[in-house]
DNA sequence: ACAACGTTTCGACATTCATCGAAATATCTA
DNA sequence: TAGATATTTCGATGAATGTCGAAACGTTGT
């Protein structure tokens, strides 16, 4: 039973794009994606990115608010993990709306 | 013979994501994508978005600088058109790097 | 209960981004 | 060449974003 995989609104898409549109956050998200469900703690992420804890929190919040990552507590650690479904929805929006699906003359497609 | 379709750097990806991460610009890009090679003039785009010409130029520049759109002159009009290849490269980056290609435990993929 | 640890919140500050009128530039037409 | 049209550049302004130290908060172990 899949959790609702509904289409993204334009506003939500802008939010997700903006969340990924930052050097630190793109790295952050890629780390979490390759890590999988297990996730990584805030501390480990801060160390990998070499940014102070408060800065990291700021970026994690952007990604969280955009729905691209989730968090859970494990003792005194807080573990973040990528939300694959949200990322799928974003890519879906881009391929459907921004890659020439409708009536692109000459059948030009980019992906 | 395809023009070089090389992989995007992280920096270029951030730039492209940032270019699309705005309400007006996402609409702009979608309009151009569905229009195809023919493109649309700045004037028409400004009218569709209902923004003053100088504001439109600002947004078109962001997209241009990110390489997502191209421009050509036609008389006193300047025509903008989507760069499908650039968009393809962006989506390619996202699917390859941000959707769990490497060693995602449990084979979790988002797209 | 206390101290140590991991993380977030708060507050201040600097930087970047977005908006838009007015002036400048380029092209067409008469 | 003058006037109209299409677009960009410039400059000023306000809003949003990013950075980070210090303090607060929750959890664990003693």
């Amino acid at each position: 039973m899949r959790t609702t995989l509904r289409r993204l609104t334009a506003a939500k898409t802008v939010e997700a794009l903006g969340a990924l549109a930052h050097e630190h956050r793109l790295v952050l998200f890629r780390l979490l994606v390759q890590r999988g469900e297990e996730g990584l703690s805030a501390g480990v992420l801060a160390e990998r990115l070499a940014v102070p804890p408060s800065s990291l929190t700021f970026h994690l919040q952007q990604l969280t608010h955009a729905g691209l990552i989730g968090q859970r507590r494990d003792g005194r650690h807080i573990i973040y993990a990528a939300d694959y479904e949200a990322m799928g929805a974003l890519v879906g929006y881009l391929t459907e709306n921004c890659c020439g699906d409708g009536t692109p003359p000459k059948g030009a497609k980019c992906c």
Side-chain angles (χ1 to χ4, degrees), chain A residues 39-101:
Chain A
L40 289 167
S41 71
V44 170
L45 291 170
E47 190 185 10
R48 297 276 185 93
L49 291 204
V51 301
S54 58
S55 295
L56 182 85
T57 296
F58 171 77
H59 293 298
L60 287 173
Q61 281 172 343
Q62 308 277 313
L63 289 166
T64 300
H65 189 247
L68 289 169
I69 63 177
Q71 83 198 77
R72 67 177 193 275
R73 179 178 277 276
D74 175 24
R76 42 188 137 178
H77 298 255
I78 295 193
I79 310 294
Y80 288 88
D83 185 324
Y84 293 89
E85 225 172 278
M87 189 57 188
L90 174 60
V91 170
Y93 182 97
L94 294 180
T95 54
E96 286 173 29
N97 295 282
C98 301
C99 287
D101 49 349

Side-chain angles (χ1 to χ4, degrees), chain A residues 8-24:
Chain A
L8 255 49
T9 63
K12 264 293 174 192
T13 300
V14 166
E15 208 175 6
L17 289 169
L20 292 175
H22 186 283
E23 187 189 347
H24 291 343

Side-chain angles (χ1 to χ4, degrees), chain A residues 1-6 85:
Chain A
M1 170 161 48
R2 263 182 145 342
T3 74
T4 51
L5 176 62
R6 67 166 57 80
E85 225 172 278

